Amino acid sequence: MNIIHVLDENTANKIAAGEVVERPSSIVKELVENSIDAQSRHIEVEISDGGISFIRITDDGSGMSPADAKLAILRHATSKIRLAEDLSTIHSLGFRGEALPSIAAVSNFSLTTRLHENESLATYVEVAGGITTDIREAGGNVGTTIVVKDLFFNTPARKKFLKTVATEGSYINNILVKLALSYPNIAFKLINNKRLVLSTPGNNELQDALTNLYGQKVAPDILPISYDNTIDNIAISGYLGKPTLLKSNRQWQTIIVNSRVINSRAIGKALDNAYHSLLPKSGYPLAVLNITVRADTIDVNVHPQKSEIKFSDEQKVFRAVYKAVTEVLSAAHTPSQLAASAQLKNINYHHTPSYHESPAIQHSLYASTPVHEAISWQEQPLPLATARTAMEKEEVIYWDTPHVVDTASCDQREPQFTLQPLGQVDDCYIISRGNDGLYIIDQHAAHERILYDKMSQHTDRIPAQQLLVPIFIDCDAAEITIITDYQDTFYNLGFSLELAGPSTMRIFELPSDIPLSEAENSIREILEFIQNMHNPTPQELRHNGLQMAACRAAIKAGEVLNMRQMQALITELCNTNLPYTCPHGRPAMIRFSPHDLDKMFKRTGF
Ligand code: ADP
Ligand code: MG
């Protein structure tokens, strides 16, 4: 007697559903993709209870004939491909013919569909837990409506894995936002528990879709991206957020490859690396990247929910994204101008900073307001070097260390303001008085900027300190290879290292500003950077190495400073080229003009 048997169709569908139908949002994704493939112009999604009890998708696409409607719910029934070879030139989102039968196997499912041409009636098909219970003619509009009720009613074990109604609802929202961004020519609507929560105009303008989805407030903070490399056959279009517009996760990043929304670690990393020097340590910028590559250079059939694809040359795509994004960000001016996006009128004076806010939120509130002023102030042709000249004249400054006056950068005109420290708050911020308002300086960011500028003046090697007692660090084989390959880079950054055993490196020189306690972490940070970047250029390495060294060597938040130290720090900061931001792009100082103060105290009208 044979012990192997072929599973019946219903069982096979339930098993397939395990892969395709993970949760309500995967159903919405599959069904909306079908509506897109059917050339719909309007797609409406309505859900109740996070999609667990009810999902309805209505489209005005091609619809199906009565015969096709019956076939559509069968396994491996598809109108989109005929042969496996078709996969290499595929332009539709679906191709496996699995979604409808899988969804219908684990829910109470119905489909009403009517073809455009000549049909007066629609076809209605009803399937309960994989068993077809009704097929008949019915009234219905042109297009297709699919209703999915009671998800996982017959597979209770699966139901247990669902999250709360609110979380499942938010997953649906997220996937719909991404689909709507990838098809700005289609008008999308999402109704959640009878409330319209999302809608796009479908006018084929990505910017309009974006502002409808993320709010009009993002409009001034997005930059168009357009890149076309005909040799590599990669084109990129879309929008990038300015570095001030941050989220604490990647939710604001939509990656679309050949019209398909995908997740890609490599592309995410390329974005991270391109923004790296402009962002504070935490936070993910907004990005909608529409990437077009040749269809035969990707494999779309590598993931059960089709949410990942395989590139034949991932490095090439990584580089293109990195290059395209860096070009936009550097063309879009200096970090400060990028940060200048938010308008003062947006300040929420009633906002009480809460320690529960994520760093990203804190940062954006922080950066989005008075930084603007610090920048416009800097943009006046008055170098901050004058501050120092002024203070020297008034003899209020005492240098901690001998200071070489760089006359070339000194402005000889009469100074218009001076900065005088008043005190330190929270062992982190220096409050100062200037002729034109109140200045708040972040001591760590300020010192980072000073050190970074100082170090970057050394075109060859950053000055190093010889260690009396070498430091030993453990490295794995991959790290040792990197250190050996990038020996020169480490040397130029002020490090001298040599192999001291099969998995040990000996450090005998360090950049002179870096404290011993930071030696190992500094090297690890550079290693991590090299590992994360696919073959960084020498400039990128240097920028990152300097940034790291400045950060490690800078005074920290929490260090108590006396007046003299504060004055010296402020004066040196004013002597740098970009005193208003640290090398990571965070604000180093913020100004409140007397007018701002008047507004905050409601002495003037708004
Ligand atoms: P796939 O999308 O992989 O072909 P599905 O199970 O999702 O498989 O759908 C099966 C078939 O049903 C599709 O190939 C398509 O012909 C038809 N179909 C599904 N949804 C729609 C729709 N909204 N409008 C028109 N046809 C549809
Ligand atoms: Mg499909």
Side-chain angles (χ1 to χ4, degrees):
M1 202 187 81
N2 44 358
I3 54 169
I4 297 178
H5 52 266
V6 174
L7 295 175
D8 69 74
E9 168 122 349
N10 192 6
T11 312
N13 285 338
K14 281 210 185 88
I15 291 169
E19 296 213 308
V20 184
V21 187
E22 196 190 355
R23 49 183 4 108
S25 61
S26 29
I27 296 188
V28 170
K29 176 173 181 281
E30 289 292 338
L31 297 182
V32 170
E33 285 185 350
N34 280 345
S35 299
I36 295 171
D37 282 344
Q39 314 295 328
S40 307
R41 313 298 313 168
H42 297 86
I43 301 176
E44 185 182 295
V45 180
E46 183 169 355
I47 59 167
S48 299
D49 304 324
I52 301 167
S53 68
F54 179 85
I55 299 173
R56 179 171 56 210
I57 317 262
T58 308
D59 71 45
D60 60 354
S62 64
M64 287 175 258
S65 68
D68 279 346
K70 285 173 216 159
L71 281 174
I73 52 166
L74 298 181
R75 192 123 185 266
H76 304 310
T78 179
S79 56
K80 299 171 192 173
I81 59 166
R82 288 195 175 273
L83 302 168
E85 293 86 279
D86 297 343
L87 276 178
S88 59
T89 52
I90 189 123
H91 289 293
S92 60
L93 297 173
F95 47 81
R96 293 196 188 121
E98 271 185 347
L100 296 191
S102 304
I103 297 165
V106 290
S107 67
N108 286 316
F109 172 99
S110 76
L111 174 164
T112 310
T113 186
R114 193 177 128 201
L115 269 185
H116 276 296
E117 318 107 40
N118 307 333
E119 300 268 340
S120 55
L121 280 177
T123 311
Y124 176 79
V125 178
E126 196 180 86
V127 186
I131 318 281
T132 308
T133 47
D134 196 4
I135 301 184
R136 59 183 150 89
E137 286 187 328
N141 293 331
V142 166
T144 304
T145 298
I146 290 181
V147 177
V148 180
K149 288 188 194 160
D150 316 317
L151 180 62
F152 297 144
F153 78 95
N154 54 350
T155 47
R158 304 281 316 279
K159 200 165 176 177
K160 281 198 202 116
F161 285 99
L162 293 180
K163 302 207 170 132
T164 62
V165 163
T167 307
E168 295 296 344
S170 72
Y171 290 155
I172 291 178
N173 194 86
N174 293 350
I175 186 68
L176 219 57
V177 164
K178 295 188 175 211
L179 289 164
L181 286 172
S182 43
Y183 290 88
N185 58 326
I186 301 177
F188 286 87
K189 270 200 184 117
L190 171 63
I191 299 162
N192 186 353
N193 290 332
K194 311 243 178 286
R195 217 165 53 83
L196 179 68
V197 291
L198 174 163
S199 103
T200 58
N203 62 357
N204 210 13
E205 294 291 339
L206 176 57
Q207 183 168 1
D208 290 344
L210 216 148
T211 49
N212 272 280
L213 296 165
Y214 292 139
Q216 202 59 44
K217 62 182 186 307
V218 303
D221 290 336
I222 51 175
L223 307 162
I225 177 168
S226 166
Y227 171 93
D228 197 354
N229 183 329
T230 41
I231 301 163
D232 278 350
N233 275 308
I234 299 180
I236 303 173
S237 64
Y239 283 92
L240 294 175
K242 292 180 183 174
T244 40
L245 204 59
L246 295 177
K247 255 225 155 18
S248 54
N249 55 35
R250 290 198 190 272
Q251 207 169 300
W252 267 358
Q253 298 187 349
T254 301
I255 299 165
I256 304 152
V257 175
N258 291 8
S259 303
R260 191 182 290 279
V261 175
I262 59 152
N263 298 324
S264 161
R265 278 177 59 111
I267 296 174
K269 203 77 230 172
L271 271 170
D272 292 350
N273 290 345
Y275 272 90
H276 187 241
S277 71
L278 301 171
L279 290 187
K281 281 245 148 71
S282 54
Y284 295 93
L286 182 151
V288 181
L289 292 181
N290 219 318
I291 305 171
T292 313
V293 296
R294 266 188 15 217
D296 62 353
T297 61
I298 52 174
D299 186 351
V300 294
N301 191 23
V302 294
H303 188 274
Q305 283 137 35
K306 298 170 287 174
S307 52
E308 282 170 24
I309 60 174
K310 193 166 182 300
F311 292 99
S312 59
D313 189 348
E314 193 170 63
Q315 283 260 350
K316 208 158 78 174
V317 182
F318 175 94
R319 278 177 187 288
V321 172
Y322 178 77
K323 189 154 182 282
V325 176
T326 333
E327 270 170 17
V328 172
L329 295 178
S330 48
H333 337 287
T334 58
S336 55
Q337 280 166 305
L338 289 164
S341 52
Q343 301 301 313
L344 264 174
K345 62 179 168 5
N346 293 338
I347 300 182
N348 175 4
Y349 295 115
H350 306 292
H351 176 79
T352 329
S354 142
Y355 292 106
H356 302 298
E357 273 172 357
S358 73
I361 297 171
Q362 279 181 19
H363 165 69
S364 59
L365 276 171
Y366 179 45
S368 68
T369 45
V371 173
H372 180 65
E373 287 302 276
I375 291 137
S376 50
W377 160 54
Q378 203 278 335
E379 279 167 353
Q380 296 159 10
L382 173 72
L384 291 168
T386 50
R388 212 201 60 215
T389 323
M391 286 181 283
E392 278 174 343
K393 269 194 191 155
E394 290 173 45
E395 293 182 344
V396 289
I397 188 154
Y398 307 93
W399 295 102
D400 268 350
T401 46
H403 188 85
V404 185
V405 179
D406 176 2
T407 40
S409 71
C410 266
D411 196 304
Q412 298 305 314
R413 285 174 305 171
E414 268 307 290
Q416 295 187 7
F417 65 90
T418 56
L419 288 187
Q420 184 195 358
L422 302 174
Q424 198 187 15
V425 172
D426 207 20
D427 296 342
C428 176
Y429 302 107
I430 302 170
I431 311 299
S432 318
R433 186 174 64 197
N435 286 349
D436 55 351
L438 170 76
Y439 289 78
I440 305 180
I441 292 153
D442 177 322
Q443 65 190 41
H444 173 70
H447 200 202
E448 255 185 309
R449 165 55 66 198
I450 295 166
L451 292 170
Y452 180 87
D453 273 32
K454 229 198 259 171
M455 292 181 200
S456 31
Q457 282 163 18
H458 297 279
T459 42
D460 41 8
R461 189 179 189 211
I462 294 174
Q465 49 179 319
Q466 288 250 339
L467 301 183
L468 288 175
V469 182
I471 301 174
F472 293 90
I473 58 169
D474 290 334
C475 295
D476 62 25
E479 289 169 334
I480 287 181
T481 315
I482 296 178
I483 294 179
T484 322
D485 288 355
Y486 288 88
Q487 191 90 46
D488 289 351
T489 306
F490 279 100
Y491 180 79
N492 287 333
L493 289 172
F495 294 95
S496 293
L497 308 110
E498 63 187 12
L499 208 55
S503 58
T504 311
M505 296 298 293
R506 179 191 296 122
I507 313 171
F508 54 95
E509 271 186 332
L510 270 187
S512 38
D513 289 307
I514 293 194
L516 286 186
S517 56
E518 297 282 0
E520 177 165 353
N521 286 341
S522 311
I523 289 171
R524 297 223 176 275
E525 199 171 313
I526 301 176
L527 281 173
E528 200 185 317
F529 176 75
I530 299 175
Q531 276 169 327
N532 286 338
M533 284 290 284
H534 296 234
N535 295 328
T537 63
Q539 292 89 329
E540 284 160 2
L541 272 173
R542 191 175 160 81
H543 172 67
N544 187 268
L546 291 182
Q547 220 179 49
M548 180 279 306
C551 182
R552 298 264 169 213
I555 47 168
K556 306 275 178 290
E559 284 182 41
V560 180
L561 302 181
N562 62 29
M563 278 296 182
R564 234 164 51 119
Q565 291 168 314
M566 285 189 240
Q567 182 71 74
L569 190 79
I570 295 174
T571 310
E572 280 205 71
L573 176 66
C574 291
N575 267 326
T576 61
N577 292 329
L578 294 165
Y580 36 86
T581 52
C582 79
H584 300 101
R586 277 202 305 117
M589 73 174 147
I590 288 176
R591 178 180 78 119
F592 291 91
S593 70
H595 181 63
D596 297 334
L597 298 172
D598 288 346
K599 278 205 302 192
M600 285 188 234
F601 287 100
K602 305 214 184 292
R603 286 179 167 273
T604 56
F606 287 91

